[in-house]
Amino acid sequence: EAEAQKLQICNNIQTEMVLESVIKSQGYQNVAVIIGNDNINVFVDKAELSNTEMAKIFDAISEHTDFTIEEVSICPTLVETEG
């Protein structure tokens, strides 16, 4: 059981790294991908994301994982400051 969990964690880390690289290749400087047991969270360094941008990110996720759109959370994280 513990060995299976360890293998799953290692696989998740590898998949996170691949996805971060693929999403960065779409033009985002900073990307963080976190895979949980039943969901995946993606954080990108942009103030807002268009539907087209979100679809491209989801396409990358669906190519490398079995997560459905309901299990994926894509969050823009760039905070714009004034002045």
Side-chain angles (χ1 to χ4, degrees):
E1 178 73 26
E3 192 64 32
Q5 287 179 337
K6 181 179 175 183
L7 182 61
Q8 184 62 48
I9 290 169
C10 289
N11 288 339
N12 284 353
I13 290 170
Q14 183 176 8
T15 302
E16 289 168 354
M17 292 172 59
V18 168
L19 286 171
E20 287 171 358
S21 178
V22 169
I23 295 167
K24 282 181 181 178
S25 76
Q26 296 178 359
Y28 303 99
Q29 281 191 328
N30 296 306
V31 176
V33 176
I34 302 168
I35 297 176
N37 291 333
D38 56 359
N39 68 338
I40 184 168
N41 295 297
V42 180
F43 301 93
V44 295
D45 65 340
K46 193 163 181 189
E48 290 184 41
L49 292 168
S50 70
N51 288 341
T52 301
E53 291 169 319
M54 291 180 77
K56 285 182 181 180
I57 292 170
F58 178 74
D59 285 346
I61 293 167
S62 65
E63 286 180 29
H64 295 277
T65 71
D66 293 328
F67 288 105
T68 65
I69 197 161
E70 292 83 13
E71 298 166 326
V72 176
S73 177
I74 302 170
C75 307
T77 60
L78 184 66
V79 177
E80 293 184 13
T81 59
E82 293 183 26

